[in-house]
């Protein structure tokens, strides 16, 4: 457990190392535990791959395109998507690290810093999802910089965040909204954060327009002559802010590998800006000539080369590569220095790249999903900090049990709210996503019943959609189906630690079919389960790829017209496992706009007080149904 005698940042560095080791061991265990077929079915691996194409990218990156050895075979479903760190290997244990840049039906492209060299004439490869070693190094550097800081604004901000000094707020002059549609709660949050001298928190419950509020704050800051570093834990989180800034007419610059950025936003990435600049083209031309010259130096010829000729060619190629790098570095510095707002992931900030950059504000969206170690990787570059998020939704994902037990899964936002108190936070109160009955339980349970639905969405039902018929499913907003007493028993996944429920999954399929029969589009339906084995089973049972089926974590930040939640747990021991993390259930219950269907065994889950209250709420709004109502 945490020892007060252990220096603050030494503890975070130790926990960071524990987490990194746990990630590494988990990846190795998966490789060893699963056969190639099982590993591929899990979505974290692709096997029997050959190189289909070769290319080069910005900064000399090597782009390799892989496909199945049998060209007539498509790639299976996979979690390896653009931006995923991967390990390329021939045996599944050691190899070359890369980043997925593109994923298509039959091919996957990966960027490497060095060329994967195989001793085989016709190598067969596999790709495995990998831990991100660069991310860990950047977090560690941020923590070490925070520990060493002295006689600087960064040191002052650090002391405020550690509770050694009191946060200050200053009165602000009148400001005019850029977005005239902001509600009073959102506008007050902008003014509150703008007035912060050190730290402010914007607390955004589900559907309350947190990112819209963050974008308004960024606009107010940059148009008052200040520079902003806008960050989030995930690439999708960053892209949400980036997209809204662009739509608002701003010109942000996005740091990070273009493969990790949504395709429609890549024109705003630093990489592409450099690549399309005249100086960038010159650097690329120099690099190409250098490679050609080096190739000539190594090439065998009949005529004996003059003494020192090959060495001179190699030296000339080396100088050309150095010149290309210098041109690129100077161009990058000029482009970044001209930016009023820079967007990146928390761990996407390269120390060398950011060495000459300084920002007035660091704004962290989805901050409650970030470990504190990741937050410090960004805080070091700014004078003031705004954290936006919701600590009653998904916490940071931590694999190491020891690190979690010592608090590594507590975000900086949650810690500040606990230690400093609510006076540094403003909560948004109007939600724009869901029917008021879908919202109500979450509001009661987590937000002191402070949320209200905007009238535009508060009474929306499925039957109001075009071509949807009116029936029991479409004319009501919520529906709980209790499987208690029907022997819908859960099962443990063979050779795994996840659980599934066959009968419950089959019931989900029936409800999906009923929705489709009522006229609902497949793209309007999502299925969420807390258990990955149930997610895999449902994907096998449903052959409609347009229906999104994912874990709670995978659906964070998303929404659909209809969401079906499969709870899975049903056993005589009344064990509910990690359903006990009610923050995850808060996410699952607040993704639906017009219809929420929950399927579960009350005899099992109601041993927990949260689920007792949930079932009581369903009963209070006449949304509770027993499985026996559907018995034939």
């Amino acid at each position: 457990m945490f020892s007060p005698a252990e220096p603050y940042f030494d503890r975070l560095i130790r926990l960071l190392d524990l987490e990194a080791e746990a990630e590494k061991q988990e990846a190795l265990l998966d490789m060893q535990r699963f056969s190639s077929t099982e590993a591929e079915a899990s979505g974290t691996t692709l096997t029997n791959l050959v190189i289909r194409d070769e290319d080069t990218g910005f900064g000399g990156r090597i782009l390799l395109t892989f496909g199945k050895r049998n060209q007539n075979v498509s790639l299976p479903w996979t979690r390896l998507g653009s931006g995923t760190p991967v390990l390329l290997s021939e045996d599944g244990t050691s190899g070359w690290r890369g980043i997925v840049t593109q994923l298509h039906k039959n091919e996957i492209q990966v960027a490497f810093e060095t060329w994967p060299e195989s001793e085989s004439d016709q190598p067969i490869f596999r790709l495995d999802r990998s831990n991100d070693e660069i991310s860990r190094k950047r977090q560690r550097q941020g923590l070490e910089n925070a520990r060493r800081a002295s006689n600087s604004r960064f040191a002052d901000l650090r002391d405020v965040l550690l509770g050694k000094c009191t946060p200050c707020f200053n009165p602000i002059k009148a400001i005019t909204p850029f977005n005239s549609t902001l509600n009073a709660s959102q506008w007050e949050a902008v003014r509150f954060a703008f007035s912060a001298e050190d730290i402010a928190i914007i607390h955004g419950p589900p559907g309350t327009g947190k990112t819209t509020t963050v974008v308004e704050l960024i606009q107010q800051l940059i148009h008052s002559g200040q520079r902003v570093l806008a960050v989030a834990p995930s690439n999708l989180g960053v892209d949400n802010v980036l997209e809204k800034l662009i739509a608002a007419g701003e010109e942000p610059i996005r740091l990070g590998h273009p493969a990790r950025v949504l395709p429609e936003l890549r024109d705003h990435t630093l990489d592409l800006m450099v690549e399309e600049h005249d100086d960038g083209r010159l650097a690329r031309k120099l690099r190409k000539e250098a490679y050609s010259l080096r190739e000539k130096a190594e090439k065998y010829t009949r005529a004996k080369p003059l003494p020192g000729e090959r060495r001179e060619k190699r030296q000339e190629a080396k100088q050309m590569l150095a010149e290309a790098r210098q041109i690129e570095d100077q161009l990058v510095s000029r482009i970044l220095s001209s930016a009023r707002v820079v967007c990146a992931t928390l761990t996407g900030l390269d120390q060398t790249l950011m060495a000459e950059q300084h920002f007035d504000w660091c704004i962290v969206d989805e901050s409650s999903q970030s470990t504190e170690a990741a937050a410090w990787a960004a805080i070091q570059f700014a004078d003031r900090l705004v954290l936006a998020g919701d600590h009653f939704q998904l916490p940071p994902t931590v694999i190491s049990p020891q690190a979690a037990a010592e608090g590594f899964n507590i975000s900086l936002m949650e810690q500040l709210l606990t230690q400093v108190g609510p006076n540094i936070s403003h909560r948004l109160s109007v939600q724009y996503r869901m029917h008021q009955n879908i919202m109500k339980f979450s509001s009661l349970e987590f937000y002191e019943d402070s949320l209200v639905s905007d009238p535009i969405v508060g009474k929306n039902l499925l039957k109001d959609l075009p071509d949807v018929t009116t029936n029991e499913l479409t004319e009501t907003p919520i529906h709980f189906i209790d499987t208690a007493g029907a022997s819908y028993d859960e099962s443990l996944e063979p050779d795994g630690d996840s659980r599934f429920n066959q009968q419950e999954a089959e019931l989900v399929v029936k409800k999906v079919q009923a929705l489709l029969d009522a006229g609902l589009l497949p793209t309007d339906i999502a299925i969420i389960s807390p258990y990955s084995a149930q997610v895999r089973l449902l994907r096998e049972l449903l052959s409609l790829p347009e229906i999104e089926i994912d874990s709670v974590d995978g659906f964070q930040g998303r929404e659909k017209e209809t969401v079906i939640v499969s709870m899975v747990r049903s056993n005589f021991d009344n064990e509910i496992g990690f359903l006990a993390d009610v923050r995850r259930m808060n996410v699952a219950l607040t993704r639906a706009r017009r219809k929420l269907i929950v399927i579960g065994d009350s005899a099992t889950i109601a041993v927990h007080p949260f689920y007792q209250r949930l079932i009581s709420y369903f009963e209070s709004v006449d949304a509770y149904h027993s499985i026996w109502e559907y018995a034939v």
Side-chain angles (χ1 to χ4, degrees), residues 294-552:
R294 191 165 62 182
E295 189 176 321
K296 290 179 181 178
E298 303 300 331
K299 195 172 183 180
Y300 173 80
T301 60
R302 289 185 179 181
K304 185 178 180 181
L306 296 173
E309 181 180 355
R310 286 184 174 176
R311 182 179 59 81
E312 289 175 2
K313 285 181 178 179
R314 293 192 195 100
Q315 185 62 30
E316 184 180 353
K318 184 178 180 181
Q319 291 172 352
M320 292 171 73
L321 287 172
E323 185 180 351
R325 172 58 68 184
Q326 184 179 19
I327 291 171
E328 280 184 346
D329 289 346
Q330 291 173 348
L331 177 57
V332 164
S333 181
R334 291 202 308 271
I335 292 175
L336 274 183
S337 296
S338 67
R340 302 307 304 171
V341 54
V342 172
C343 301
T345 60
L346 286 164
T347 57
L349 301 169
D350 182 86
Q351 292 279 341
T352 303
L353 195 67
M354 299 293 290
E356 299 178 5
Q357 304 301 318
H358 182 77
F359 297 87
D360 300 290
W361 295 78
C362 174
I363 299 180
V364 187
D365 198 13
E366 304 292 1
S367 62
S368 55
Q369 296 178 46
S370 162
T371 64
E372 184 179 349
W376 285 103
I379 294 170
Q380 61 182 317
F381 299 111
D383 293 339
R384 298 174 181 84
L385 176 66
V386 175
L387 302 176
D390 181 13
H391 54 299
F392 294 126
Q393 295 189 61
L394 288 182
T397 299
V398 173
I399 295 174
S400 166
Q402 182 178 345
E406 295 191 45
F408 197 60
N409 59 347
I410 299 175
S411 68
L412 179 61
M413 174 180 169
E414 183 176 0
Q415 180 170 293
L416 286 169
L417 287 171
T418 301
Q419 294 182 353
V420 180
N423 60 309
I424 60 170
S425 173
H426 179 86
R427 181 191 291 167
L428 305 178
S429 59
V430 181
Q431 70 84 19
Y432 296 89
R433 175 183 300 158
M434 59 200 117
H435 188 284
Q436 59 191 15
N437 286 13
I438 301 175
M439 172 206 74
K440 188 66 174 179
F441 178 75
S442 178
S443 180
L444 286 165
E445 190 71 21
F446 296 98
Y447 310 108
E448 295 85 38
D449 199 20
S450 64
L451 302 187
V452 295
S453 293
D454 184 83
I456 296 175
V457 303
K459 296 188 177 182
N460 285 349
L461 296 168
L462 289 181
K463 69 181 181 65
D464 302 323
L465 291 172
D467 302 320
V468 173
T469 59
T470 299
N471 60 33
E472 182 190 28
L473 280 179
T474 65
E475 66 183 358
T476 57
I478 54 178
H479 206 94
F480 178 80
I481 303 176
D482 188 357
T483 64
S487 298
Y488 278 31
D489 299 331
E490 67 186 66
S491 299
L492 184 63
E493 186 179 37
D495 301 320
D497 54 6
S498 188
R499 298 177 185 272
F500 66 95
N501 190 314
Q502 181 74 36
Q503 294 98 321
E504 189 172 291
E506 291 170 359
L507 180 57
V508 170
V509 173
K510 290 179 182 178
K511 289 303 162 187
V512 168
Q513 189 58 55
L515 290 165
L516 295 173
D517 291 344
L520 208 66
L521 298 174
T523 51
D524 288 333
I525 302 172
I527 304 170
I528 300 175
S529 179
Y531 288 89
S532 58
Q534 186 78 342
V535 169
R536 288 191 287 273
L537 173 60
L538 285 163
R539 284 180 176 145
E540 291 173 6
L541 294 176
L542 281 163
S543 57
L544 289 170
E546 301 93 338
I547 296 177
E548 291 193 52
I549 306 171
D550 214 332
S551 64
V552 180

Side-chain angles (χ1 to χ4, degrees), residues 18 65 80 127 169 200 209 238 376 383 393 444 471 504 578 586:
L18 280 174
T65 300
L80 307 181
L127 280 172
F169 293 85
V238 178
W376 285 103
D383 293 339
Q393 295 189 61
L444 286 165
N471 60 33
E504 189 172 291
F578 57 72
N586 186 31

